[in-house]
Amino acid sequence: MKLKKFYLRYYPPGIAMCFTKSHVDEVKVISLHDLTTETNVEKLAEKIVESEPLITSNVIPQFIDLLIKLQNKLKEPIKKKFYIHKTFNTHVLPITNVCFDKSGQRFVTGSYDRTCRMWNVEAGVEENILRGHENVVFAVNFNTPKCDRVVTGSFDKTAKVWNAASGALLRTFHGHANEIVATEFNIHNDDEIASASMDGTSRIFRVETGQETHNLAGHEDAIISARFDNDGNLLLTGSFDGTAKVWDLRSGRDVITFQGHTGEISNAIWNVNCKLLATGSLDSTARIWDIRQQTESIFTIDEHTDEVLDVSFDYSGQKLVTASSDCTAKLWNITGNLEKISTLIGHTEEISKCIFSPPGLLVLTASPDRTARLWTLDGTCSQVLSGHSAEIFSCGFNYIGDTIVTASKDNSCKIWR
């Protein structure tokens, strides 16, 4: 194994190592959840080096410098106020989804106009148009942490991988019988992508060869999410059949089925260490599951009065936010017993998206009421991000949490800084 490059992960603190093994690039992440402003980084480095063969004597000084950068980041004040920076208007039909790269200097959008577009945040310009899909582009994602490729999923039943710098199409993946609604790179090995489709299957493809390695069939209805775990060996899928499944990609079989919802799943996500997962459902509940307890959910959240449309963990995995058609979001402490922290009231229509800021001190929500809102953890709406003239479909923070993007049915996206 040969180390090629380090990548910083600020929230939660960690260092990713890109290395070559048998002529294949892989990524290993050192998680530093216990890092504080008081940690002795030299002693921490010594402890890590003892058990990590990739960190050899010649890179130890660089490794210590990275630990200091992570520690210094914890000392910085957290940004809580955002102002409009740029508006991007070149899509000719509504935007479906948006994703920042790791640097926060670029982001990619998918659209009903059948294109993806790569944008430069600082310059406020469109860098590339990714053309080739024959129907709506619904899913977009970078290959974190390198971010030199983009994967897209389309209603034309194909997924595509593109060069992020040039916009060149690298590979098209066929096999699904219906629309693709989710795509993701394997963080451990970005030569592998997962797709989720309305045909009720999730598929795994090799980027270099275009080969389909797994056809994960077992759900009884459309699959709306597919997410790799941290090691890249497991895949979590959520389905309109009311269940979530965990698949072992070494065997290609579903090893756990999480049952209990009485309506369609709206989202299924891992927490940071992939020991817990959360599901939201159109049955007006969200559930939290422990992968080690494969029978029943450990918590059922049933205080919403309408469909739960989205769920999101904070970076520590100790808090969860749920978003609902009842026009509210709710914040939960899931350590020990389930405890409601606050209810976020202010949107005038359903809340379709919710996400924590990377430091975990703010919640961002988006709604068809044409606004996105920022909330503190006590439930106070600290800011309304207004200016779109139609429903906001997607929103997100950049990697360090100092920039927000909102994407709308009005064909535009806005950057807030």
Side-chain angles (χ1 to χ4, degrees):
M1 295 188 298
K2 182 180 179 181
L3 179 66
K4 295 180 66 177
K5 190 173 182 179
F6 288 116
Y7 294 91
L8 282 178
R9 185 184 71 187
Y10 288 115
Y11 303 107
I15 296 175
M17 301 176 293
C18 181
F19 64 96
T20 302
K21 181 179 179 181
S22 301
H23 306 291
V24 176
D25 284 355
E26 296 188 20
V27 175
K28 182 178 183 181
V29 178
I30 300 173
S31 292
L32 302 165
H33 295 177
D34 296 327
L35 181 71
T36 71
T37 57
E38 306 299 323
T39 300
N40 185 315
V41 294
E42 286 79 10
K43 288 185 178 179
L44 176 60
E46 289 177 9
K47 182 179 179 181
I48 294 171
V49 168
E50 288 176 1
S51 59
E52 183 46 70
L54 283 170
I55 305 176
T56 54
S57 58
N58 62 312
V59 299
I60 289 176
Q62 181 187 1
F63 183 70
I64 292 174
D65 287 343
L66 294 176
L67 290 176
I68 293 172
K69 284 185 178 180
L70 287 173
Q71 190 177 57
N72 288 339
K73 190 66 181 176
L74 297 176
K75 299 175 184 178
E76 292 180 6
I78 303 300
K79 184 170 184 175
K80 295 184 178 180
K81 195 75 173 178
F82 295 80
Y83 302 91
I84 187 68
H85 173 65
K86 299 283 184 182
T87 299
F88 301 87
N89 286 303
T90 63
H91 279 293
V92 297
L93 288 173
I95 296 171
T96 56
N97 270 301
V98 62
C99 182
F100 277 107
D101 75 350
K102 184 177 177 294
S103 73
Q105 295 304 308
R106 295 178 304 167
F107 66 97
V108 62
T109 52
S111 171
Y112 278 83
D113 68 12
R114 306 181 181 187
T115 71
C116 294
R117 295 171 190 253
M118 190 75 66
W119 309 87
N120 183 296
V121 173
E122 196 63 43
V125 298
E126 176 185 280
E127 292 186 339
N128 288 300
I129 303 177
L130 313 184
R131 302 183 189 274
H133 281 296
E134 298 176 358
N135 207 327
V136 175
V137 181
F138 195 77
V140 292
N141 261 309
F142 282 96
N143 60 327
T144 303
K146 290 191 286 186
C147 295
D148 59 355
R149 293 177 175 183
V150 172
V151 62
T152 57
S154 171
F155 287 4
D156 68 9
K157 309 173 191 176
T158 71
K160 294 178 184 287
V161 169
W162 314 75
N163 182 297
S166 68
L169 175 63
L170 301 178
R171 187 75 63 184
T172 300
F173 306 91
H174 300 272
H176 282 293
N178 282 314
E179 299 95 328
I180 294 176
V181 294
T183 52
E184 182 174 283
F185 283 99
N186 186 337
I187 189 172
H188 187 70
N189 175 10
D190 65 3
D191 186 47
E192 193 169 63
I193 64 166
S195 58
S197 171
M198 301 300 284
D199 65 12
T201 70
S202 181
R203 295 173 190 245
I204 308 296
F205 298 95
R206 292 288 183 190
V207 175
E208 194 65 33
T209 64
Q211 177 189 6
E212 178 187 300
T213 59
H214 296 85
N215 179 359
L216 307 177
H219 282 293
E220 297 177 0
D221 208 334
I223 299 177
I224 48 80
S225 63
R227 292 184 168 90
F228 289 100
D229 77 335
N230 293 338
D231 295 326
N233 293 322
L234 302 178
L235 190 77
L236 170 64
T237 56
S239 171
F240 281 178
D241 68 8
T243 71
K245 288 180 181 287
V246 172
W247 307 78
D248 189 328
L249 300 180
R250 291 160 293 195
S251 65
R253 295 185 298 179
D254 59 319
V255 290
I256 310 173
T257 299
F258 298 99
Q259 297 176 307
H261 285 295
T262 58
E264 299 171 351
I265 299 286
S266 57
N267 202 359
I269 58 171
W270 299 104
N271 77 336
V272 64
N273 62 14
C274 297
K275 296 294 189 295
L276 299 179
L277 59 103
T279 52
S281 172
L282 304 193
D283 66 6
S284 303
T285 72
R287 290 175 181 256
I288 301 169
W289 316 77
D290 189 324
I291 196 171
R292 297 156 293 188
Q293 301 174 22
Q294 303 175 12
T295 53
E296 297 180 355
S297 57
I298 57 173
F299 298 124
T300 299
I301 294 169
D302 58 4
E303 291 193 20
H304 284 291
T305 58
D306 208 336
E307 300 167 342
V308 175
L309 301 178
D310 200 14
V311 291
S312 179
F313 284 107
D314 74 338
Y315 85 80
S316 71
Q318 298 177 353
K319 296 181 180 67
L320 183 82
V321 61
T322 54
S324 173
S325 292
D326 65 12
C327 304
T328 73
K330 295 179 185 289
L331 187 62
W332 309 87
N333 187 330
I334 61 171
T335 58
N337 295 321
L338 179 70
E339 176 189 4
K340 184 171 70 175
I341 299 171
S342 57
T343 299
L344 316 183
I345 301 174
H347 281 293
T348 58
E349 294 188 44
E350 69 182 28
I351 301 177
S352 54
K353 296 288 183 183
C354 61
I355 188 172
F356 281 93
S357 65
L361 298 181
L362 295 172
V363 172
L364 174 66
T365 56
S367 170
D369 69 7
R370 301 180 293 178
T371 71
R373 291 175 181 250
L374 285 165
W375 312 80
T376 55
L377 302 190
D378 64 0
T380 301
C381 180
S382 60
Q383 190 173 359
V384 179
L385 306 181
S386 58
H388 284 291
S389 60
E391 175 179 353
I392 298 178
F393 278 155
S394 184
C395 62
F397 287 93
N398 72 340
Y399 190 68
I400 60 175
D402 64 1
T403 305
I404 290 170
V405 61
T406 54
S408 171
K409 193 176 180 178
D410 65 11
N411 309 350
S412 78
C413 52
K414 295 180 182 292
I415 294 292
W416 310 79
R417 303 183 82 173

